[in-house]
């Protein structure tokens, strides 16, 4: 399956079709399935007349882990929010299992229910226990009976190492525990795609490992994941495909060993030199 590349422009809102730069075409990375779950085509996102995303093409296959890397402001978080229908797009298409979910006629709430999303901030409801946080969406959005939702939540809490925190409130948990609870809440709805946005950036360094270990377990279990991360070592170990974003375009993508070990684009090389100098790879 051929992956597409996005072209650069001057950062302004395009007035016509986004040109493709075929000079950046690279072989696709290994996949564990040929079924494309999420298909982003020519995605443009602009605020006023300034485009933050400028013609992004991206696919995520069944059971595949795709990681987005790049400097702050490169568009990673915006791409995730657009993919999950949390932000309206300016141009292009986003397909989930072949359905155009960027069509304004689509039931956005219904589409969002098919994603699990975890942000940098934990966003747990502070007035609810951990168990109530996790059972809320299955009960209210998906109509799961309360008893079944509770049983699922208890099993998930055991899986993420928080079985003894079911009745605790978020402010009684450490940052790492809160983020693990947030991940449990996201996967409680059995999402088609799990979107993770720099989920370790707000954690103390000693707590990062416990959260990444959970994501590693989810990936090993066959979850379909699109995640933005600054943890380059983790991306190298866990991802099936790495996408380097720069100024709102896909600058380079491919298997992690090649993109992170032998990048071909000068901008990727420069970025990784800084990462290595900072001791993050």
């Amino acid at each position: 399956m051929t992956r597409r590349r996005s072209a650069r422009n001057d950062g302004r809102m395009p007035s016509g079709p986004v040109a493709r730069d075929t000079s950046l075409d690279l072989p696709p990375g290994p996949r564990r399935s040929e079924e494309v779950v999420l298909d982003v085509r020519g995605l443009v996102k602009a605020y006023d007349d300034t485009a933050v995303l400028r013609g992004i093409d991206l696919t995520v296959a069944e059971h595949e882990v795709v990681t987005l890397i790049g400097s702050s402001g490169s568009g990673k978080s915006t791409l995730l929010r657009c993919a999950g229908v949390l932000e309206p797009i300016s141009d292009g298409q986003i397909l989930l299992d072949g359905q155009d979910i960027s069509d304004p006629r689509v039931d956005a709430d219904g589409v969002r229910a098919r994603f699990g999303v975890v942000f940098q901030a934990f966003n747990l409801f502070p007035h609810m226990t951990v168990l109530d946080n996790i059972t809320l969406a299955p009960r209210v959005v998906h109509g799961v009976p309360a008893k079944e939702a509770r049983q699922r939540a208890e099993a998930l809490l055991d899986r993420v190492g928080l079985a003894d925190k079911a009745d605790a409130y978020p402010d009684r948990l450490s940052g790492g525990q809160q983020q693990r609870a947030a991940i449990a809440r996201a996967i409680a709805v059995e999402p088609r795609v799990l979107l993770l946005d720099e989920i370790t950036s707000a954690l103390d360094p000693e707590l990062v490992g416990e959260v990444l270990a959970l994501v590693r377990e989810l990936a090993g279990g066959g979850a379909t994941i699109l995640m933005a991360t600054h943890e380059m070592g983790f991306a190298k170990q866990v991802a099936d495909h790495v996408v380097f974003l720069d100024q709102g375009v896909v600058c380079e993508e491919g298997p992690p060993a090649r993109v992170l070990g032998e990048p071909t684009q000068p901008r990727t090389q420069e970025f990784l030199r800084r990462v290595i100098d900072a001791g993050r790879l």
Side-chain angles (χ1 to χ4, degrees), residues 115-125 130 133-135 137-138 152-153 155-162 173-191 193-201 203 207-219 223-228 234:
F115 288 93
V117 185
V118 184
F119 297 106
Q120 299 176 33
F122 318 124
N123 292 333
L124 295 171
F125 293 112
V130 170
N133 264 280
I134 295 173
T135 60
R152 286 188 193 177
L156 283 172
L157 285 172
D158 183 60
R159 181 179 179 184
V160 302
L162 295 175
L173 305 181
S174 70
Q177 290 171 332
Q178 289 187 59
Q179 195 61 291
R180 280 186 282 150
I183 293 172
R185 181 177 62 178
I187 62 178
V189 298
E190 300 179 347
V193 182
L194 188 58
L195 303 175
L196 307 177
D197 186 12
E198 300 281 13
I199 57 173
T200 61
S201 64
L203 300 179
L207 300 178
V208 170
E210 66 184 61
V211 173
L212 293 183
L214 175 56
V215 178
R216 184 179 289 108
E217 178 189 337
L218 294 174
T224 302
I225 301 174
L226 176 62
M227 66 181 295
F234 177 80

Side-chain angles (χ1 to χ4, degrees), residues 20-230:
R20 303 291 183 221
D21 182 355
T22 56
S23 66
L24 295 182
D25 280 342
L26 300 168
R31 289 178 181 270
R32 290 177 287 177
S33 170
E34 287 301 318
E35 181 184 352
V36 172
V37 176
L38 186 66
D39 190 0
V40 177
R41 302 178 179 178
L43 174 60
V44 175
K45 173 61 180 178
Y47 296 98
D48 296 325
D49 61 348
T50 299
V52 178
L53 300 175
R54 302 185 284 131
I56 297 289
D57 290 323
L58 176 73
T59 57
V60 182
E62 183 89 43
H63 308 310
E64 187 178 36
V65 179
V66 175
T67 57
L68 308 174
I69 64 171
S71 303
S72 296
S74 60
K76 303 187 300 296
S77 294
T78 301
L79 175 54
L80 286 175
R81 293 184 65 83
C82 289
V85 199
L86 298 172
E87 289 271 0
I89 68 174
S90 303
D91 198 5
Q93 282 185 308
I94 302 171
L95 282 71
L96 181 64
D97 289 323
Q99 178 190 13
D100 184 358
I101 60 174
S102 55
D103 188 323
R105 296 169 295 181
V106 167
D107 174 15
D109 288 337
V111 170
R112 294 183 192 116
R114 298 167 67 188
F115 288 93
V117 185
V118 184
F119 297 106
Q120 299 176 33
F122 318 124
N123 292 333
L124 295 171
F125 293 112
H127 62 291
M128 293 183 176
T129 65
V130 170
L131 187 67
D132 288 339
N133 264 280
I134 295 173
T135 60
L136 182 63
R139 289 188 297 104
V140 175
V141 179
H142 295 269
V144 177
K147 182 178 179 180
E148 181 182 344
R150 182 182 180 90
Q151 290 173 340
R152 286 188 193 177
E154 289 173 342
L156 283 172
L157 285 172
D158 183 60
R159 181 179 179 184
V160 302
L162 295 175
D164 61 336
K165 302 295 183 181
D167 295 324
Y169 287 88
D171 64 357
R172 306 302 297 173
L173 305 181
S174 70
Q177 290 171 332
Q178 289 187 59
Q179 195 61 291
R180 280 186 282 150
I183 293 172
R185 181 177 62 178
I187 62 178
V189 298
E190 300 179 347
R192 193 69 176 106
V193 182
L194 188 58
L195 303 175
L196 307 177
D197 186 12
E198 300 281 13
I199 57 173
T200 61
S201 64
L203 300 179
D204 293 333
E206 64 267 25
L207 300 178
V208 170
E210 66 184 61
V211 173
L212 293 183
L214 175 56
V215 178
R216 184 179 289 108
E217 178 189 337
L218 294 174
T224 302
I225 301 174
L226 176 62
M227 66 181 295
T229 185
H230 61 273

